[in-house]
Amino acid sequence: MTFPRTIAIDFETANERRDSPCAVGLAWIEGGRVVRREARLIRPAEMRFSPGNIRVHGIRPRDVADAPSFPEAMAPFLPEIAGSLVLAHNASFDVGVLAATLQAYGLAQPAYTSLCTVQLARRHWPGEGGPGQGTYRLSALAARVGVTFRHHDAGEDAYACAEIALAVMRESGAPDIVSLARRLGLARERAGEGERAPDGIAARALRGVAPRPARAPVLHFVVRGSTGTPYDVRLIEGRDGPRLRCSCAGARFRPDCRHVRALANGEVDALLSDNPGDVAALAGLLRLA
Ligand SMILES: [Zn+2]
């Protein structure tokens, strides 16, 4: 049996904007292993690099001055993403970068399905580690499955993401990653809604899974609550500007719950999602409110 093409993808961004990718990494999975790896530097449309982002990935304006623009860099890969299963660690970020940047350049959104390896790991290795130990971070999971990589190099991060998915797949005895997602009860998210659906094998394999509505490209964090429960914290557009909304019960009564306050203060101790750079960017965004 053949499965949809599976590609792990990772973007690094120049600043807090989703449409500012400055590097992309891709790793193709076939037959239970990584068969191809690619990485490209990207020259963002706006050459504005935030110190927090530079601290994370080390890419500076001079490094990308002569790099291809997003449309040029992605041209060989976009046809491959169409109809694929896209893996990413904290997928809402990478899916959001792809969607926002395609939109910024007026390019068509390819239809594909995404699967988050943070969720995959959390389902497969539930409730491990105490609060704030970052058990589901890319670096921690890579160490756990014995993958050596240079963190925050896009090509290396995509490779580590692919190897983590493969390790979970092998441990659980699933024949492929689509079966694994189904087995773990993870809904894969369809992107590129409104575009023509992928044809053939990929479409048949993916049919029967009800697509959830595509997420808007927003900042999204997963934090561990005091009892270990993970909560989603999202940056939303409030009446008085951007604000954070938490999924915890307390936030229904008090919007600035402890999780929101911690992130707004730049605290990453309880952060489960692999985006401490986004927390650094938050302070600036919230100051606008
Ligand atoms: Zn909360």
Side-chain angles (χ1 to χ4, degrees):
M1 191 176 166
T2 316
F3 305 99
R5 181 170 37 238
T6 303
I7 308 174
I9 191 162
D10 181 79
F11 285 105
E12 304 292 336
T13 55
N15 56 57
E16 76 289 349
R17 288 184 60 104
R18 281 291 175 270
D19 58 0
S20 70
C22 58
V24 62
L26 305 101
W28 283 254
I29 292 177
E30 225 177 88
R33 61 194 187 90
V34 173
V35 293
R36 180 185 168 199
R37 295 166 64 171
E38 297 281 356
R40 299 282 188 279
L41 286 174
I42 297 171
R43 190 180 72 250
E46 183 194 6
M47 280 293 245
R48 179 173 61 83
F49 280 66
S50 299
N53 292 58
I54 293 176
R55 261 200 304 281
V56 168
H57 52 57
I59 301 169
R60 291 164 184 279
R62 63 168 179 269
D63 300 320
V64 298
D66 299 319
S69 66
F70 177 84
E72 294 170 278
M74 292 301 289
F77 307 132
L78 290 173
E80 301 223 35
I81 288 171
S84 291
L85 173 62
V86 169
L87 301 178
H89 208 69
N90 191 26
S92 64
F93 172 81
D94 301 282
V95 166
V97 168
L98 183 58
T101 317
L102 287 167
Q103 190 181 17
Y105 281 101
L107 298 172
Q109 304 280 343
Y112 63 93
T113 307
S114 66
L115 181 64
C116 178
T117 47
V118 176
Q119 294 177 20
L120 202 63
R122 193 177 291 131
R123 288 288 166 92
H124 183 66
W125 294 298
E128 300 209 358
Q133 288 184 13
T135 319
Y136 302 106
R137 286 209 183 163
L138 191 66
S139 48
L141 290 171
R144 170 174 200 133
V145 304
V147 174
T148 312
F149 78 120
R150 287 194 316 279
H151 197 7
H152 292 305
D153 170 290
E156 296 269 316
D157 283 8
Y159 166 69
C161 169
E163 288 291 353
I164 288 162
L166 287 170
V168 174
M169 188 188 96
R170 282 191 293 268
E171 277 199 13
S172 58
D176 60 89
I177 294 185
V178 169
S179 314
L180 173 66
R182 199 172 288 142
R183 209 177 270 195
L184 292 175
L186 285 172
R188 285 154 289 135
E189 302 217 9
R190 272 266 300 282
E193 297 292 325
E195 299 293 317
R196 202 169 59 91
D199 296 311
I201 291 159
R204 283 199 298 278
L206 297 175
R207 211 167 281 145
V209 177
R212 304 222 309 254
R215 277 183 186 156
V218 292
L219 282 182
H220 172 215
F221 305 91
V222 181
V223 298
R224 184 187 285 276
S226 52
T227 58
T229 312
Y231 297 114
D232 284 301
V233 182
R234 285 164 196 281
L235 188 72
I236 61 164
E237 207 51 55
R239 276 175 54 179
D240 306 314
R243 68 177 186 86
L244 290 170
R245 184 170 64 197
C246 181
S247 66
C248 77
R252 268 179 270 147
F253 308 102
R254 188 182 170 178
D256 64 331
C257 66
R258 67 169 73 183
H259 316 113
V260 163
R261 290 200 307 274
L263 286 178
N265 288 334
E267 291 164 23
V268 294
D269 298 351
L271 189 68
L272 293 176
S273 49
D274 194 40
N275 56 344
D278 287 344
V279 177
L282 265 180
L285 285 170
L286 295 171
R287 209 172 297 128
L288 300 173

